[in-house]
Amino acid sequence: MLSSEDLRFFLTVAAARSLADAARTLDVTPPAVTQRLAALEKRLGIRLVERTGRRVGLTDEGHLLAARGRRICDEIGLLADALGSRRGVVAGHLRVLAPLGFGHRYVAPAVARVRRDHPEVTATLTLSDRPGRHAEDSWDVMVHIGELRDSALVMQRIASNRRILCAAPAYLRRRGAPSRPQDLRDHECIALRENDEDVTLWRFTGAQGETASVRIDPVLASTEGSVVHDWAVAGMGIMVRSEWDVAGDLRAGRLVALLPAWRLPDADVIALLPSREVRSARTSQFLACLRAQVRAHPWDAGQDTAGVAGN
């Protein structure tokens, strides 16, 4: 009556904010998700999802299927690991959760590499602007960038990553460069709303350990990092962005690093793992591939090549 593919499909729907989000994760059209869900409900003879507007709400039966389904999928994965290890192969289903921009550029190629190297591995990559809101039992690895609040999860550092204050030369010609953090209150700033952080409070540390916090009033804001990036490159304001995203622009002169004497909090790239005693071979292979992917495309914004403005 139920296959493992049915369970994985429904777990993707259950973890999504909407059927459209589930469709993006599954790389199919929203009507295809709706039709498959309706067929699953008809086959089971129960309603699994309450369709209220655009959001997904699970019925009691849907919650039951999601909870039991996760455990079943975990057991299938562990069984595939055990059988695969006897044959000297890596197998099973890998579930990775990652932020949108970094996930597209670095995590997706790492997942593809695992699949190429180990054909008996299948994988689901979920890209989200709020990865921390997904249930712990819905993924095997969560890639996280930025501040990490209290967590009982196992953490592995993948790469260092600075946050950089920067703007395009066109903006600096029009508005000039700030010479101290407080000057940002008089500038046009762009905010990226992600990870439930207080994104309008920009915190700096000086060379002597002094601190400065500035509450900006953004003229533009978005939940999508690529949009914020494009706005800044177009000269529409000053942004704070991760080094992995802007290093190439700094080297090419499309962006200029500002306030070089002041440092923003780092936003290291880390992998979070559920607090399970046994880690699957496919998870270990994915972490190795992700590290290799980052090493193959290192980011080093170095001020000697990036150009700086401000004092």
Side-chain angles (χ1 to χ4, degrees), residues 64-85:
L64 176 62
L65 180 59
R68 297 269 181 96
R70 288 188 190 101
R71 290 198 291 270
I72 291 170
C73 286
D74 285 345
E75 287 297 325
I76 291 173
L78 291 173
L79 179 59
D81 275 341
L83 294 174
S85 65

Side-chain angles (χ1 to χ4, degrees), residues 4-170:
S4 59
E5 286 303 313
D6 289 330
L7 290 177
R8 292 190 185 111
F9 163 75
F10 184 69
L11 290 175
T12 300
V13 171
R17 292 178 301 175
S18 67
L19 295 183
D21 282 345
R24 282 190 287 271
T25 299
L26 295 166
D27 195 24
V28 298
T29 65
V33 171
T34 301
Q35 291 168 10
R36 185 171 178 182
L37 178 60
L40 179 60
E41 290 178 324
K42 182 177 180 180
R43 187 158 21 110
L44 296 175
I46 54 176
R47 195 168 185 81
L48 300 171
V49 172
E50 294 289 356
R51 296 159 180 80
T52 55
R54 296 184 177 181
R55 300 191 66 81
V56 170
L58 300 184
T59 63
D60 288 343
E61 293 78 10
H63 281 293
L64 176 62
L65 180 59
R68 297 269 181 96
R70 288 188 190 101
R71 290 198 291 270
I72 291 170
C73 286
D74 285 345
E75 287 297 325
I76 291 173
L78 291 173
L79 179 59
D81 275 341
L83 294 174
S85 65
R86 303 231 175 157
R87 296 184 291 119
V89 301
V90 180
H93 190 71
L94 173 69
R95 302 170 301 169
V96 181
L97 176 61
L100 289 166
F102 187 85
H104 184 269
R105 190 179 303 182
Y106 289 96
V107 181
V111 171
R113 177 64 182 271
V114 174
R115 170 65 184 167
R116 284 195 298 269
D117 292 349
H118 306 284
E120 295 193 34
V121 171
T122 59
T124 298
L125 171 60
T126 301
L127 301 180
S128 172
D129 60 344
R130 296 287 192 277
R133 293 186 179 180
H134 291 252
E136 179 182 332
D137 56 3
S138 67
W139 46 266
D140 302 305
V141 185
M142 180 201 292
V143 179
H144 180 87
I145 297 177
E147 298 179 58
L148 181 65
R149 295 175 174 82
D150 293 340
S151 174
L153 301 173
V154 177
M155 181 179 74
Q156 288 196 14
R157 184 172 172 274
I158 301 297
S160 61
N161 177 53
R162 289 187 296 152
R163 281 189 170 120
I164 297 175
L165 185 77
C166 54

Side-chain angles (χ1 to χ4, degrees), residues 144-149 157 159-165 181 184 194-195 197-206 210-214 239-244 246 258-269 299:
H144 180 87
I145 297 177
E147 298 179 58
L148 181 65
R149 295 175 174 82
R157 184 172 172 274
S160 61
N161 177 53
R162 289 187 296 152
R163 281 189 170 120
I164 297 175
L165 185 77
L184 291 168
E194 62 177 354
N195 290 340
E197 295 180 14
D198 187 352
V199 297
T200 63
L201 183 65
W202 291 357
R203 295 177 286 119
F204 299 85
T205 301
E210 66 274 33
T211 61
S213 296
V214 180
M239 71 171 175
V240 170
R241 195 73 182 111
S242 283
E243 183 178 10
W244 69 261
V246 299
L258 307 174
L259 299 181
W262 295 87
R263 190 179 181 99
L264 289 149
D266 289 339
D268 289 350
V269 180
W299 49 83

Side-chain angles (χ1 to χ4, degrees), residues 245-283:
D245 188 43
V246 299
D249 297 292
L250 293 168
R251 286 192 293 267
R254 291 185 293 270
L255 292 171
V256 177
L258 307 174
L259 299 181
W262 295 87
R263 190 179 181 99
L264 289 149
D266 289 339
D268 289 350
V269 180
I270 59 176
L272 297 173
L273 308 171
S275 51
R276 301 170 185 156
E277 293 184 3
V278 180
R279 184 179 310 153
S280 68
R282 60 186 174 276
T283 295

